[in-house]
Amino acid sequence: MEKQLTRINPKVLLLMGVFGVSFSSIFIKYSNAPSLVIATYRLGWTVLILFPLIGMKFRGEILKLKKDDILWNILSGFFLAVHFSLWFESLKFTSVASSTVLVSTEVIFSALGFVLVFKGRINRYGILAIIITFLGSIVIAANDYGGGKNVLYGDALALLAAVMVAVYTLIGRKQRDHLSTTVYTFVTYSACFITLIIFDFISYTPIYGYGINEIILGLLLGISCTLLGHSVFSWCLKYLSPSYVSSAKLLEPVFASILAALIYGEIPQISQIIGSIIVIGGVYMYSRYE
């Protein structure tokens, strides 16, 4: 699988991955189950699908994993679980357009993490881009203010989800230097699934009794959004920078907003579109001058 993927241009695969994850918000919006439950179903299906592949072709690499790699992957899975929990919940309160645009600010938080944790430096264009992105987020929040406190709460959850997935991306970049995509994603997704189960237990959220519809939605999310989305992003991190991968994800809110307009009739307001353009422009500017 890894060798077959190397024959494809990473940028082409990245675009395919973005298209895959664009369906996330659409499927989640359709779900009636608690956010933690649909996230648990998604990761449960993902791990189940990957398990036979691991047993047949990657068991040797799994057995040779170092303790540090296992711990880093578990940590990565934890942050991914928190990301899913927050972002899925945000879609219960705010629009697909606002939520997907705000979660796309991940690249900005990745940049801040690069500076604070890895002692990197950001040039003046990068700083300007961060300011522009922040202003765009304010415009979106100001537009959503008229929708009530619940909408702003959804926006805040989407921003926190962006922080969590930024940490996940930074750890992924570190691990993908020496681990195959399949092994890295399997261990990370397994840790994410177990973390979500723990979240369900702590919050007294039943994980069954929601009907076959939710199980199918979890399967669709696992295939189109996790395996054909996040796994592709993880593979691309070996060949492309974290910021480039994150900036490519800016197409997700565009695709998702179009799908939401067609399926749910969620037509963005002018001020919402302006704020989204400012955010996307700021993130693109940062990625360009990285």
Side-chain angles (χ1 to χ4, degrees):
M1 179 179 177
E2 194 89 10
K3 292 181 180 179
Q4 292 175 338
L5 286 176
T6 54
R7 300 173 186 173
I8 305 175
N9 189 320
K11 295 180 181 179
V12 174
L13 269 179
L14 183 59
L15 181 61
M16 293 171 59
V18 173
F19 185 72
V21 297
S22 297
F23 284 91
S24 292
S25 54
I26 303 303
F27 292 145
I28 296 164
K29 202 81 171 179
Y30 187 73
S31 172
N32 293 314
S35 301
L36 275 175
V37 171
I38 195 64
T40 303
Y41 287 176
R42 171 177 178 169
L43 269 297
W45 275 114
T46 303
V47 172
L48 187 63
I49 293 171
L50 283 176
F51 188 78
L53 182 62
I54 287 293
M56 290 185 295
K57 296 185 177 182
F58 295 91
R59 185 170 58 181
E61 186 178 348
I62 284 285
L63 294 175
K64 292 179 182 178
L65 280 177
K66 297 178 181 179
K67 182 179 179 180
D68 286 348
D69 286 329
I70 294 174
L71 292 176
W72 276 113
N73 287 12
I74 290 175
L75 187 63
S76 178
F78 170 80
F79 281 106
L80 185 60
V82 178
H83 160 72
F84 282 141
S85 302
L86 293 171
W87 186 51
F88 285 17
E89 189 68 12
S90 77
L91 287 162
K92 304 286 186 183
F93 298 96
T94 191
S95 67
V96 169
S98 292
S99 182
T100 53
V101 166
L102 290 173
V103 84
S104 72
T105 58
E106 165 204 345
V107 65
I108 301 301
F109 293 112
S110 294
L112 294 175
F114 174 67
V115 172
L116 296 175
V117 179
F118 297 105
K119 307 302 180 183
R121 299 182 65 181
I122 302 177
N123 61 32
R124 59 182 179 179
Y125 295 106
I127 295 174
L128 178 61
I130 292 174
I131 295 173
I132 291 173
T133 304
F134 177 71
L135 292 176
S137 300
I138 292 177
V139 172
I140 292 175
N143 172 81
D144 289 345
Y145 180 76
K149 293 182 179 179
N150 286 341
V151 178
L152 288 178
Y153 174 67
D155 290 347
L157 289 177
L159 278 174
L160 286 174
V163 175
M164 296 300 109
V165 79
V167 178
Y168 160 76
T169 299
L170 288 170
I171 296 175
R173 174 59 177 172
K174 176 183 181 299
Q175 295 301 96
R176 284 293 291 116
D177 282 339
H178 57 283
L179 296 180
S180 68
T181 304
T182 306
V183 169
Y184 166 71
T185 55
F186 178 75
V187 178
T188 298
Y189 293 159
S190 297
C192 181
F193 176 60
I194 293 172
T195 301
L196 288 168
I197 290 289
I198 294 173
F199 287 170
D200 290 325
F201 178 77
I202 293 174
S203 62
Y204 299 100
T205 304
I207 60 174
Y208 57 88
Y210 301 99
I212 190 66
N213 178 66
E214 303 300 331
I215 295 176
I216 294 175
L217 282 176
L219 176 60
L220 292 174
L221 282 164
I223 295 174
S224 69
C225 307
T226 306
L227 293 176
L228 300 180
H230 282 274
S231 294
V232 170
F233 296 155
S234 295
W235 179 84
C236 289
L237 284 170
K238 186 172 184 178
Y239 305 96
L240 304 169
S241 73
S243 294
Y244 189 94
V245 173
S246 296
S247 63
K249 295 178 188 178
L250 293 175
L251 288 174
E252 180 187 351
V254 178
F255 293 149
S257 296
I258 293 173
L259 290 171
L262 294 174
I263 298 173
Y264 299 119
E266 287 190 2
I267 308 299
Q269 299 179 16
I270 296 299
S271 56
Q272 194 175 26
I273 294 174
I274 292 173
S276 299
I277 291 174
I278 294 173
V279 169
I280 293 174
V283 177
Y284 174 77
M285 179 180 176
Y286 172 80
S287 302
R288 181 179 176 85
Y289 291 103
E290 179 194 13

